[in-house]
Amino acid sequence: MENCKEKKIEDYVRSIPDFPEEGIIFRDVTSILQDADGFALAVDSMQKLLEDTDIDVIVGTESRGFIFGAPIAYNLHKPLVLVRKKGKLPCETIEQSYELEYGSAVVEMHRDSIQPGQKVAIVDDLIATGGTIEAAAHMVEELGGEVVKIVFLMELAGLKGRERLEKYEVASVIRYEGK
C-alpha cells in the first residue's frame, strides 16, 4: 500500500551524527537539493514565510543562500543581491568582518547593490550563531536599506543565532533544538 502521507521538509534532511565532531548532528542540506520534490518544497516553504512582507530586494549569502535566494527572487520578480566572501566580487564593495567559532571572516557586497530606502529580505539555508547574517544585515543598513525579514530553511536553536539577530524579524522553516 502506497504511503499517502505527504512528506515534510524534515523528511528530506539527512542527519549525520558525530560530524564534524563527536556529539554534533550535522543537518545536511544537499539531501534536500538532490530531490526535486524536496528542493521545491524547501523553496516554497521559505517563500511562504515572506508572504505579506513588502520586499524590494532579496539578499542571498554565500553560498547556499544563493541556492535558495535565486528561485525565491525569480518567483517574486525581485532582484537578487549576493553577499560573498572577501575578494569574490568584481566591482566596488563594502565589507563587514565577523567572528567565527575559531577566528574571523569578512563578507562583501557591491556598494551599488542596495539603494537607500529599499526593503530587504535576507535568505540563507541555516542559522547557527548568526554571525554571517548579522554582517550581511549591517551592510544592507550601511547602504541605507531596511532589513524587513530574515528567512532560513533550518535553525539550530542551541547555537542561539536568533538571539544575536533579535532586532530583526527572523523566521525558519525547520527548528532543531540542539546544535
Side-chain angles (χ1 to χ4, degrees):
M1 185 171 162
E2 193 175 318
N3 185 356
C4 296
K5 183 180 173 236
E6 191 172 315
K7 286 178 90 169
K8 300 181 310 216
I9 195 68
E10 293 91 326
D11 298 330
Y12 294 97
V13 178
R14 181 171 38 202
S15 296
I16 302 162
D18 301 320
F19 183 83
E21 58 189 49
E22 194 170 327
I24 302 290
I25 300 174
F26 185 82
R27 308 297 181 174
D28 185 14
V29 72
T30 63
S31 55
I32 297 168
L33 301 173
Q34 290 170 192
D35 187 294
D37 291 335
F39 187 31
L41 181 59
V43 170
D44 292 348
S45 299
M46 293 173 78
Q47 188 173 313
K48 189 168 179 56
L49 294 175
L50 292 171
E51 280 181 354
D52 305 319
T53 305
D54 185 18
I55 301 163
D56 299 311
V57 177
I58 301 290
V59 167
T61 53
E62 188 164 341
S63 63
R64 292 174 304 267
F66 302 172
I67 294 169
F68 294 104
I72 292 170
Y74 176 83
N75 289 340
L76 298 178
H77 198 70
K78 303 293 179 187
L80 175 67
V81 170
L82 306 181
V83 170
R84 300 216 53 198
K85 294 173 185 154
K86 185 173 176 68
K88 300 287 186 182
L89 291 171
C91 295
E92 187 181 350
T93 61
I94 62 168
E95 66 179 47
Q96 180 75 43
S97 62
Y98 62 99
E99 296 304 310
L100 298 167
E101 190 174 355
Y102 304 104
S104 63
V106 178
V107 289
E108 295 180 319
M109 67 191 311
H110 280 138
R111 181 170 293 285
D112 64 357
S113 61
I114 303 291
Q115 303 307 311
Q118 284 187 313
K119 292 175 173 51
V120 176
I122 302 175
V123 174
D124 205 357
D125 70 320
L126 177 83
I127 178 173
T129 64
T132 306
I133 297 301
E134 183 181 44
H138 286 165
M139 289 189 296
V140 167
E141 292 164 346
E142 182 181 332
L143 294 174
E146 177 190 357
V147 177
V148 293
K149 195 154 192 184
I150 303 173
V151 173
F152 301 97
L153 180 61
M154 297 184 280
E155 176 177 356
L156 303 179
L159 294 174
K160 304 189 184 316
R162 187 180 284 259
E163 292 173 19
R164 188 174 192 165
L165 302 173
E166 66 186 352
K167 76 180 229 180
Y168 304 104
E169 185 178 347
V170 175
S172 58
V173 176
I174 308 169
R175 179 182 167 100
Y176 294 105
E177 292 307 318
K179 299 178 180 180

